[in-house]
Amino acid sequence: MPTTSFTRAAILLATVALPVAGAAHAQDQAQSDQTVVVTAPPEPIPAAITAGPEIRGIISARNDNRIKVTAADGTSTVVALTEATRVKATAGLFGARGGKPGTDALINGIPVTVKTLQSGGGELIASQVSFQNKDLKIAAMIRGATDQRFEEQTAATESLRGRLGDIDKYNVKATTNVHFEVGKADLSAEDKAMLCQAASQANATENALMLVVGYTDSTGSEDVNQTLSEKRAARVINHLQQACGWKPYRMLTPAGMATADPLASNDTPEGKAQNRRVAVNVLVSKSVDVM
């Protein structure tokens, strides 16, 4: 029989209640040699369990089975974790998926999206917590500096934004945009020829490097768009290196930026078409560039 949302909520709440019931049972046994009949706690009334809000932010504090998630505007929300909480990690660009993570992976400094249920008493319980593997790695490196204060998390956020590298150290010599159909990451013959032409021109620029960034329009969920933007960037990089002869050591760390930095409004089909792209940027370090 498929598990309903109310049944899953009952499991979540029962996880919290079981240790109390177990302690009472042990005390009864110690006080009497007679047979003790333990009645299972009643299932919570379905009406008392409702879907809670979806919360996005950075884990700014943790205390045992509770985490505090702080949003970009500084507001914080405390959410309870249980044995039934599902933890989901999404691999980043070129990242390998490891084993299934547990709640111990939820450390300070990691950006998360939390799906919640709300108990009758108003407590929020996490049904699912998702994050990016690459963000977990960065959060682990800065974990010692968090000290469970939101001010510390600001530095963590800036570190995550810096995945593209310090763009201020480079001059942008040229940008080639490759566009895609909705939900697709396929390169047309025209796209492939344009990429090789861009690589040939970049080769003529001494000390040139490439920064490849994938984007999507606003169609689809956050997770789908993130994965799609990374897939598009990876497809372009593979063609540049394998078919156009661009050397891997001349490639800066690529990224998928989903719906960030749109070129046009996502309110029109024309605007969305412009935003479904991969930007191939040819850069030269300011320290060696002669303007």
Side-chain angles (χ1 to χ4, degrees), residues 189-237:
E190 182 181 356
D191 293 332
K192 293 176 180 179
M194 183 168 58
L195 287 172
C196 284
Q197 182 180 7
S200 177
Q201 292 173 348
N203 265 323
T205 302
E206 189 175 3
N207 301 312
L209 302 172
M210 276 190 183
L211 172 63
V212 176
V213 186
Y215 300 93
T216 68
D217 62 22
S218 59
T219 305
S221 68
E222 180 182 352
D223 285 347
V224 168
N225 285 335
Q226 180 61 40
T227 301
L228 181 58
S229 66
E230 293 170 353
K231 185 176 180 180
R232 286 172 174 168
R235 189 67 56 85
V236 168
I237 290 169

Side-chain angles (χ1 to χ4, degrees), residues 17-29 38:
L18 281 175
V20 177
H25 179 48
Q27 184 176 4
D28 290 344
Q29 285 183 322
V38 179

